[in-house]
Amino acid sequence: MYFAALLARTEDGWEASDTELDDVETLSDLADLAREASPDEDTVLVLIEQEDAWFGVVRVDGEEDPRIYVSDAAAARRSAYGELLLTDELLGREPGADDGPDLDSLDLDGTEDGESDDDEEEGAATDAVPHSPVGDSEILDDLGISEKELRALDADDALNTIAEALGASEVLETVR
């Protein structure tokens, strides 16, 4: 189960709207969706959480490139919505780099006989993505949430804590 909301900063404070990500296929689509929430090109935050395992914040300021923070890259990778956020650039990879294991470095230990070791194959894919935060941890600094505070948030209450620090907890609760 996931929850996603848009928080758009306006002259009157923050406005929240619930959003469905089913039709969003790329980070560019997500940024466009955020821009539509603020015709005045003000700051828009896309807040995403999935099953209290990870959370992500995408910040869009006008036509600038989106800034992204993901609390646990490995957990997010197991989610279609997390995959949207985990770009090659965010993970420090060359764009279009192959995520699969390097065949020259594989230890086949008996798998050449047709045996398969699914645990090792899955482990190799997730090892490429850290079990730690990735992205711009200073994404909310100017809004009152320091890098240290952001990194210390638990996935189960992060979005509420962020909204509270922004003075937007009531509007976020209306769309939850």
Side-chain angles (χ1 to χ4, degrees):
M1 192 72 194
Y2 80 96
F3 171 74
L6 297 173
L7 283 179
R9 186 164 52 180
T10 67
E11 292 176 2
D12 301 325
W14 292 93
E15 290 182 6
S17 57
D18 188 13
T19 187
E20 283 293 321
L21 300 179
D22 294 340
D23 295 331
V24 176
E25 295 180 8
T26 66
L27 180 59
S28 180
D29 292 345
L30 186 60
D32 290 343
L33 182 69
R35 287 183 186 105
E36 289 172 11
S38 178
D40 296 331
E41 296 190 6
D42 287 325
T43 298
V44 178
L45 300 176
V46 181
L47 304 175
I48 302 171
E49 69 180 6
Q50 183 137 19
E51 298 173 355
D52 298 333
W54 66 275
F55 71 92
V57 178
V58 178
R59 179 177 178 159
V60 178
D61 293 302
E63 291 300 317
E64 292 181 29
D65 287 340
R67 296 167 57 192
I68 305 164
Y69 175 83
V70 176
S71 67
D72 183 335
R77 180 164 189 187
R78 293 186 291 269
S79 158
Y81 304 112
E83 288 272 326
L84 284 173
L85 307 181
L86 296 175
T87 63
D88 287 335
E89 181 182 324
L90 191 71
L91 295 172
R93 298 182 185 153
E94 288 293 318
D98 183 19
D99 289 342
D102 178 12
L103 295 179
D104 293 332
S105 68
L106 286 180
D107 179 14
L108 297 177
D109 66 280
T111 57
E112 65 268 292
D113 295 331
E115 299 171 20
S116 113
D117 192 343
D118 291 337
D119 291 341
E120 279 186 27
E121 289 172 17
E122 184 177 319
T126 26
D127 286 343
V129 177
H131 287 276
S132 62
V134 295
D136 183 354
S137 55
E138 298 176 352
I139 191 169
L140 301 173
D141 269 0
D142 65 324
L143 299 175
I145 301 171
S146 71
E147 174 181 1
K148 183 178 178 181
E149 292 168 322
L150 184 62
R151 288 179 169 271
L153 293 176
D154 289 325
D156 61 345
D157 67 344
L159 300 191
N160 291 331
T161 303
I162 290 169
E164 187 175 309
L166 300 174
S169 56
E170 289 182 22
V171 293
L172 183 64
E173 278 304 309
T174 63
V175 296
R176 215 178 242 285

